[in-house]
């Protein structure tokens, strides 16, 4: 038997979590005036080399690259930001006068990582990007947006970690200071950090192997190298977070794994007991030079992405269960003529927004009732030879434990009336008002 590839999984029983999360994302995104964008699952490999960074772990070790039959080198997207920036430039979305331009996306990302709890090779992200504002209030709004998704999902105990890497000049001054501090002790660090020293020095700061070593504990902090403007930006962000009553921790070791960040970086973390080192359910920050680095006009930007699988682990721990939609009606059918009538009636109900189903394998009446219970159907609609002869049907309300014989033609109107009774015109069994109309 062919099995799924390592690090991938089938979404079966958990589908309700994905659907509910997506529903909340769309609802909250509307509140922040953020529209959806969908970009391809694969892009030119160069895009990720020039954005996420050639020496980042993601690009150097984790991408799925493949040459297509035309000899082009493609990469399955390991993250969403690069593709969105490409789309912004290619479609000249930056020319839209409605600045800032805010877009969100939901979809699969691919990284060749060692699979473990909260870490997969195909995983889903919900991300959002805002283009065109360099103001710290935009950082604040985006962090509030991410937190509001969690609030809407009633997820508690999430910590907000923030840091600032500074703009290009501060970041570069800091890198020099960090390297000068570490160089005399370089041989005490792990092999990977020795490589990072040359290629990606900031990543030495969040190395899991070396993080407790004195040389890293006493390392200079990005914070001390911020120039006046960068500091003012970070201080203003803190004031905005305070104004929105979002508590946060300033975390000097937070540097993030992608090269494109400048100024603010942030993560939303849950307890390590839940997800070990994969406890960041969301990460993001400002990237003021990326659009220009990818040949677009200078455009400041801020974004974030959630790992949906990690979010689901946290939600389950929090006792969240997605609503399980029940069926309005289940048809119990005895005989060929009854089946013909039932097909017409089910078509009518579904056209009018009433959910229904039936047994299509000609089982016994008892077995059909069992199926009706399994589907948690509110009504059983029973049609046999006698009902066909009289042009009636038997309607059993399985919640109220009542039973009536009604004319076949009245089925739709009767169900509508009962499903919307005392609910102000909306169906109690439907998720949204008007579903059943
Ligand atoms: P990232 O930190 O690489 O940032 O990923 C964002 C989130 O995706 C992580 O916090 C985590 O929850 C989830 N994630 C990452 N890798 C995996 C994996 N292998 N399995 C399961 N979940 C994973 C980005 O991707 C940036 N594009 C975020 C961003 C948007 N920055 C600015 N705009």
């Amino acid at each position: 038997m062919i099995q799924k590839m390592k690090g991938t999984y089938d979404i079966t029983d958990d589908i309700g979590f994905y659907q509910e999360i997506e529903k909340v994302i769309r609802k909250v995104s509307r509140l922040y005036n953020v529209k959806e964008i969908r970009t391809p699952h694969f892009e030119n490999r160069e895009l990720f080399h020039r954005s996420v960074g050639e020496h980042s772990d993601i690009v150097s070790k984790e991408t799925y690259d493949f040459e297509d039959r035309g000899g082009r080198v493609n990469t399955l997207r390991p993250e969403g930001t690069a593709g969105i920036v490409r789309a912004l430039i290619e479609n000249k979305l930056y020319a839209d006068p409605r600045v800032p331009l805010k877009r969100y996306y939901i979809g699969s990302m691919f990284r060749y990582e060692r699979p473990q709890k909260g870490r997969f090779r195909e995983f889903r992200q919900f991300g959002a990007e805002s283009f065109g504002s360099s103001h710290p209030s935009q950082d604040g709004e985006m962090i509030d947006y991410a937190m509001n998704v969690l609030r809407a999902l009633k997820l508690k105990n999430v910590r907000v970690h923030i840091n600032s890497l500074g703009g290009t000049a501060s970041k570069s001054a800091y890198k020099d200071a960090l390297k000068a501090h570490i160089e005399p002790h370089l041989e005490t660090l792990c092999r990977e950090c020795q490589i990072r020293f040359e290629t990606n020095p900031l990543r030495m700061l969040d190395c899991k192997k070396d993080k407790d070593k004195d040389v890293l504990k006493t390392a200079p902090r990005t914070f001390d190298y911020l120039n006046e403007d960068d500091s003012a930006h970070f201080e203003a962000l803190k004031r905005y977070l305070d104004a929105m009553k979002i508590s946060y921790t300033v975390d000097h070791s937070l540097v993030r794994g992608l090269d494109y960040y400048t100024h603010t970086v942030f993560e939303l973390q849950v307890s390590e007991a839940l997800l070990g080192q994969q406890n960041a359910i969301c990460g993001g920050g400002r990237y003021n030079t990326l659009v220009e680095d990818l040949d677009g006009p200078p455009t400041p930007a801020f974004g974030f992405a959630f790992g949906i699988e990690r979010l689901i682990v946290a939600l389950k721990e929090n006792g969240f269960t997605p609503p399980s939609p029940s069926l309005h009606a289940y048809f119990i059918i005895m005989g060929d003529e009854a089946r013909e009538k039932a097909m017409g009636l089910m078509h009518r109900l579904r056209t009018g927004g009433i959910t229904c189903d039936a047994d299509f394998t000609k089982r016994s009446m008892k077995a059909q009732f069992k199926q009706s219970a399994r589907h948690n159907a509110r009504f059983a609609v029973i049609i046999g030879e006698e009902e066909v002869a009289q042009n009636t049907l038997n309607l059993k309300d399985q919640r109220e434990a009542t039973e009536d014989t009604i004319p076949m033609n009245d089925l739709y109107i009767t169900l509508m009336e009962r499903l919307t009774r005392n609910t102000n015109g909306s169906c109690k069994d439907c998720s949204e008002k008007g579903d059943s109309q």
Side-chain angles (χ1 to χ4, degrees), residues 58 78-81 105 111 113 118-121 123-125 128-129 256 258 260-261 267 280-285 287 302-310:
I58 295 177
E79 59 101 53
T81 311
Y105 51 95
R111 295 184 193 176
E113 291 196 87
R119 190 194 278 164
F120 302 94
R121 291 187 173 168
F123 60 98
R124 280 113 195 127
Q125 280 189 346
E129 317 290 344
R256 310 264 309 124
L258 304 96
Y260 48 62
Y261 293 111
E267 275 184 6
I281 56 170
C282 172
Y287 49 97
F302 191 99
F304 63 76
F306 278 86
I308 295 185
E309 290 74 10
R310 294 186 193 180

Side-chain angles (χ1 to χ4, degrees), residues 134-137 139-140 143 160-167 170 221-242 248-254 262-267 284-286 302:
S134 58
H135 199 271
S137 57
D139 309 23
I143 295 175
V160 182
H161 284 233
I162 58 172
N163 192 19
S164 175
L165 306 178
S170 303
R221 305 179 310 174
T222 53
F223 202 68
D224 300 324
Y225 287 80
L226 300 184
N227 63 28
E228 216 175 292
D229 285 350
D230 297 342
S231 288
H233 184 104
F234 197 55
E235 290 308 312
L237 167 64
K238 291 200 266 180
R239 287 196 301 277
Y240 295 127
L241 293 178
D242 291 339
Y248 53 83
T249 305
V250 177
D251 178 351
H252 296 295
S253 69
L254 184 66
T262 60
H263 304 89
T264 311
V265 284
F266 82 102
E267 275 184 6
R286 184 163 274 291
F302 191 99

